[in-house]
Amino acid sequence: MAPADHHHLVERCCRRPDLAARPAVPGARRRGQRQAAAAAPQEHGGRAGSERRGLWERRAGRPPAAARPGSPRGWKSGAVPVLTCPRPRAGGRSRPGAGKRSGRIGGRPQLDCCCRSYPVPGLKLARRATSCLRPARRVSFPRGGALLGRGTHPKPEAGTLLLAGPRSPCCWCGEGAAAMDAASGRGARARRGTRSTAPRSRGTEKGAARSPSRGRAAGEGSSAIATLRTPRTDGAPARGGRSARRASAAREPPAGRAAGGAEAPPSSRSRAPAARVPAALGSVAAVPDGAVAAAGRRPPPAADALRLREVLSRLSLLREDVSEASTLVNTVVPHLVQAIRDKDSCFSSIERQSAGSYYERVKISEPNEFDIMLVMPVTRIQLDESDDTGAYYYVSFKRSPKEKGWLKFLEEDGKLSAFKMLQALREIIKQEVKNIKGMEVTVARKKAGSPAITLQIKKPPLEISVDIILTLEAQQSWPCSTQAGLKIEQWLGTKKRRDFRFRSIYLVAKALSYIRNTWRLSFSHIEKDMIKNHGNSKTCCESNGPKCCRKGCLKLLKFLLEQLKRKHPKELEKFCSYHVKTAFLHSCVMWPNDTDWHLGNLDHSFQQCLGFFVDCLQKSQLTHFFIPQYNLLSQEDKARHHFLSRKISYELNNGFPVFHENY
DNA sequence: ATCCGCTATGCTTG
DNA sequence: CAAGCATAGCGGAT
């Protein structure tokens, strides 16, 4: 059996032919609209936070925010409603009346609608409204990905759908369509950052305008701590748009084309060109992919880290996308859960649990894939290994369950049939999706052996897939195959390990190709916890604690594999994100200290992870993180492993050109 | 003058 | 409440 088949959370890799027909760039229109937005207002003066706000208010002679219409606080406190859009849709700083000096098109603010997050009169605390009086715009940007220089307006052209350049059909699924574009949002991302910029106004009281922490931060060396992504805004904020920095990275042509087109003359003195140097690295000759494969053999150019941060910033999910997608998912899923509980008494105690990269906060590119576990508590089950991996089991009840409905899910020999349960669940869901209004929800075709029931939710321009995974939860000790796994003592501590192992075991309905009633151990709840609370010290990444780059590395690993899979779909079809996730977890064990993952050393940490993964590939040995006897890289696929290891080595040695390529 | 690294703050989802 | 996204604006580098 192919290890790649073993993990439902990653089986998306090569499926979704159903999505292949989706538009090349889902969300492009939305993004286009968003990014068409001209610069948003900007407050002047340079005080941080409330101090700065106070200054602005004093200067502008305005009432305090709490009393001002248009301010959320104002609404909460029952201030006078304003019916027209008094403010552009932008981040926390924009406010009504501001922006007089910000970028505008044609004298009026050419802003996309701000009202989706603007409170509606009469709707207390409403976050969304449809009462916008200002039409959204569509804007086209130059094809070919010319860089947008700062202060350069992209010359939007009303009424044109935004497309950055010709899109090649996606090779992800071998279906010749753009499924993976959608999955990763790469195409969309390329347009994400496009926005107009405006001359930036500086604070009038430079020194005084410094935020209280500035001095400390600069003086005490926190400059070494680089943020993963803090797209600075050199002009006024565009509504929902990316910073110019992000934009420049996203739009960078892969082959090192001279930055700057007619629209975007780059500053010759700026550091930006170095940062934007495409991954081919210009002067650095490409190192063949067959070269040595451990990390660090090529001293990375200083710009590497910067570029990785750029890449990372492109991968983060847009807040608006998250909001829209989660709204859909959170409408559909509770509806289905209720229906499932009602329709079959066996399923009456089913509970929703979230899993997968979105809920681990390592989803990259676009929030278009969600994993929902439907967890059924079971008691007194007996597990019998179905093969030698230690991951697959037959499940039977030690005592027949009180609920007699269960009998219909049992095979003659008393084993609980994953297949039968999935089928029942699937039928209920298929019936129930018909009752969901306001969007199109369909159940994707069954995939042999897949533990998931995949929903497609369409509400143009959104297209989301939700994997529903039937899961058994048993409060009993973990099987002995897990005894020597989860070696996190040095990393998260012995107590944490003990706590984890006291948690329930989860089994997902995963049929093997030759046996229909098997269940596979799932540790996604533990993985989620480890990724969320990943620090060796408790304060890692907490609000005031030191920030690390672990999640950043995981995202980059995922992205690298995605990109390579797009480039070599056939050769890499057996690899999935669970492989890199596993390698990442091993890396966390191998380098347990937070200091090993200093945010400023993103490039180094990433290369270490990759180096480890490449070693695994070369040895065809990647141990399941929880089940040490289970090798995720079976020896039969050695050639494929070497292929991937060569590809990764090439990327490693040449500054990751694939991060900047479109497939 | 422009760009970059960084922090502070607000907002949203989980 | 934590985490992540989005933005403003500083000092310093180029």
Side-chain angles (χ1 to χ4, degrees):
Chain A
M1 92 201 91
D5 292 340
H6 292 182
H7 295 277
H8 60 270
L9 297 185
V10 290
E11 278 164 352
R12 300 172 187 281
C13 297
C14 294
R15 67 182 183 209
R16 310 280 157 109
D18 40 301
L19 291 189
R22 65 168 60 176
V25 185
R29 174 176 300 200
R30 288 174 298 124
R31 284 217 168 97
Q33 287 168 352
R34 280 201 293 274
Q35 283 144 18
Q42 173 183 9
E43 73 184 64
H44 312 304
R47 287 188 189 274
S50 55
E51 192 187 353
R52 199 154 47 206
R53 188 161 54 243
L55 184 71
W56 180 83
E57 283 161 0
R58 282 195 299 279
R59 278 205 197 116
R62 285 185 169 256
R68 205 162 52 230
S71 147
R73 282 181 214 161
W75 285 104
K76 284 176 193 174
S77 58
V80 185
V82 173
L83 285 170
T84 51
C85 293
R87 61 171 187 178
R89 187 174 165 84
R93 296 302 174 91
S94 28
R95 53 177 50 80
K100 289 209 173 67
R101 282 158 55 193
S102 300
R104 291 183 175 188
I105 308 170
R108 285 181 59 82
Q110 298 291 310
L111 293 164
D112 194 343
C113 172
C114 62
C115 290
R116 273 192 291 178
S117 63
Y118 194 69
V120 194
L123 264 181
K124 201 177 176 191
L125 297 188
R127 287 207 164 110
R128 284 165 179 265
T130 52
S131 65
C132 182
L133 305 178
R134 184 176 295 145
R137 285 164 51 88
R138 287 186 226 165
V139 176
S140 71
F141 288 97
R143 293 165 79 95
L147 285 174
L148 279 180
R150 290 181 164 222
T152 311
H153 197 274
K155 296 194 176 114
E157 174 189 314
T160 331
L161 191 60
L162 180 62
L163 280 175
R167 305 209 45 80
S168 50
C170 178
C171 50
W172 181 258
C173 303
E175 304 278 331
M180 203 46 217
D181 250 5
S184 81
R186 193 147 155 79
R189 197 69 33 175
R191 282 170 296 289
R192 170 183 280 182
T194 55
R195 68 176 191 73
S196 60
T197 53
R200 181 180 158 189
S201 75
R202 301 299 299 248
T204 47
E205 298 166 317
K206 271 194 170 180
R210 205 179 163 96
S211 73
S213 65
R214 269 305 290 180
R216 175 187 50 78
E220 292 173 15
S222 43
S223 61
I225 300 176
T227 44
L228 277 185
R229 54 162 303 282
T230 314
R232 74 174 283 280
T233 43
D234 49 352
R239 177 194 152 303
R242 277 293 186 232
S243 72
R245 193 197 309 176
R246 185 167 181 159
S248 64
R251 297 172 63 86
E252 178 59 29
R257 194 180 326 163
E263 281 83 12
S267 160
S268 59
R269 299 180 60 215
S270 75
R271 261 185 278 166
R276 295 186 196 132
V277 166
L281 290 179
S283 61
V284 182
V287 178
D289 52 1
V292 216
R297 67 205 53 72
R298 164 187 161 276
D304 268 14
L306 190 54
R307 271 202 309 279
L308 287 182
R309 285 202 295 272
E310 293 258 17
V311 171
L312 259 187
S313 76
R314 271 157 48 201
L315 298 178
S316 58
L317 306 182
L318 284 180
R319 194 152 72 183
E320 196 165 343
D321 293 352
V322 168
S323 177
E324 289 167 351
S326 65
T327 302
L328 288 191
V329 172
N330 292 332
T331 307
V332 171
V333 172
H335 186 123
L336 290 179
V337 169
Q338 196 52 53
I340 293 165
R341 284 182 187 151
D342 294 346
K343 287 202 177 162
D344 192 320
S345 53
C346 294
F347 294 137
S348 61
S349 46
I350 214 158
E351 291 284 347
R352 167 191 173 163
Q353 260 188 48
S354 19
S357 58
Y358 175 82
Y359 296 100
E360 286 166 355
R361 298 178 188 278
V362 290
K363 179 81 181 79
I364 55 174
S365 302
E366 265 200 305
N368 55 357
E369 293 176 349
F370 292 76
D371 297 286
I372 306 289
M373 300 202 309
L374 293 187
V375 180
M376 310 235 331
V378 289
T379 48
R380 294 180 172 272
I381 53 168
Q382 182 176 324
L383 299 180
D384 297 300
E385 290 195 17
S386 70
D387 63 3
D388 57 1
T389 61
Y392 287 81
Y393 293 85
Y394 299 115
V395 173
S396 47
F397 288 101
K398 288 178 182 164
R399 216 183 276 174
S400 75
K402 284 180 196 146
E403 174 58 64
K404 294 304 169 200
W406 279 96
L407 291 175
K408 64 177 179 281
F409 298 136
L410 299 181
E411 304 276 358
E412 292 86 22
D413 55 5
K415 288 176 187 138
L416 185 59
S417 167
F419 180 82
K420 286 180 179 172
M421 285 188 76
L422 265 182
Q423 205 169 30
L425 190 63
R426 191 180 173 84
E427 278 313 307
I428 297 174
I429 291 176
K430 273 178 90 168
Q431 290 306 313
E432 195 55 35
V433 292
K434 294 175 186 165
N435 300 330
I436 297 175
K437 307 283 178 237
M439 64 194 89
E440 184 191 338
V441 187
T442 51
V443 181
R445 274 186 68 86
K446 198 155 33 176
K447 282 259 299 186
S450 167
I453 297 165
T454 303
L455 302 178
Q456 308 289 335
I457 305 178
K458 293 183 187 170
K459 189 182 183 186
L462 289 186
E463 287 192 37
I464 296 167
S465 75
V466 180
D467 271 2
I468 293 182
I469 301 134
L470 176 61
T471 310
L472 302 180
E473 177 187 15
Q475 291 196 337
Q476 60 190 55
S477 54
W478 292 17
C480 25
S481 64
T482 64
Q483 193 70 49
L486 191 59
K487 303 297 289 175
I488 55 168
E489 291 90 342
Q490 300 300 313
W491 171 29
L492 299 171
T494 47
K495 183 175 179 300
K496 197 79 187 169
R497 182 175 191 274
R498 200 170 52 241
D499 290 351
F500 282 150
R501 290 183 58 86
F502 272 126
R503 295 209 193 160
S504 308
I505 53 172
Y506 282 72
L507 294 146
V508 299
K510 175 74 174 83
L512 293 170
S513 53
Y514 49 94
I515 322 171
R516 297 207 309 187
N517 55 352
T518 46
W519 297 80
R520 192 194 61 217
L521 283 177
S522 165
F523 300 93
S524 49
H525 55 312
I526 311 287
E527 290 158 10
K528 183 172 150 190
D529 195 313
M530 287 192 296
I531 288 171
K532 237 176 122 184
N533 306 299
H534 51 253
N536 179 251
S537 79
K538 294 230 182 309
T539 53
C540 178
C541 289
E542 283 181 5
S543 52
N544 287 320
K547 303 279 183 290
C548 80
C549 64
R550 287 184 181 91
K551 281 189 185 180
C553 287
L554 179 52
K555 288 181 183 178
L556 288 173
L557 288 168
K558 285 161 61 98
F559 185 50
L560 179 61
L561 182 64
E562 276 189 11
Q563 286 290 82
L564 288 173
K565 282 187 67 127
R566 258 175 264 176
K567 199 170 179 177
H568 311 283
K570 274 279 164 237
E571 297 89 337
L572 300 181
E573 66 182 355
K574 289 211 173 180
F575 295 99
C576 56
S577 65
Y578 199 77
H579 287 114
V580 292
K581 186 179 182 183
T582 301
F584 167 77
L585 291 174
H586 285 303
S587 299
C588 288
V589 166
M590 199 169 293
W591 297 285
N593 299 316
D594 296 342
T595 47
D596 300 323
W597 299 87
H598 202 287
L599 194 45
N601 294 333
L602 172 66
D603 56 331
H604 179 249
S605 303
F606 178 53
Q607 289 184 32
Q608 284 208 314
C609 291
L610 264 189
F612 173 78
F613 186 44
V614 167
D615 279 347
C616 293
L617 288 168
Q618 291 188 331
K619 295 175 194 153
S620 287
Q621 176 65 48
L622 176 59
T623 305
H624 188 285
F625 195 68
F626 298 83
I627 308 171
Q629 73 198 57
Y630 182 15
N631 181 11
L632 296 176
L633 300 173
S634 77
Q635 299 292 326
E636 303 142 32
D637 295 324
K638 257 191 155 76
R640 290 195 179 91
H641 306 152
H642 286 152
F643 180 87
L644 179 57
S645 104
R646 280 200 307 277
K647 294 300 165 196
I648 294 178
S649 297
Y650 176 84
E651 298 298 324
L652 201 47
N653 290 330
N654 293 285
F656 304 103
V658 79
F659 281 161
H660 304 269
E661 290 166 14
N662 279 311
Y663 294 102

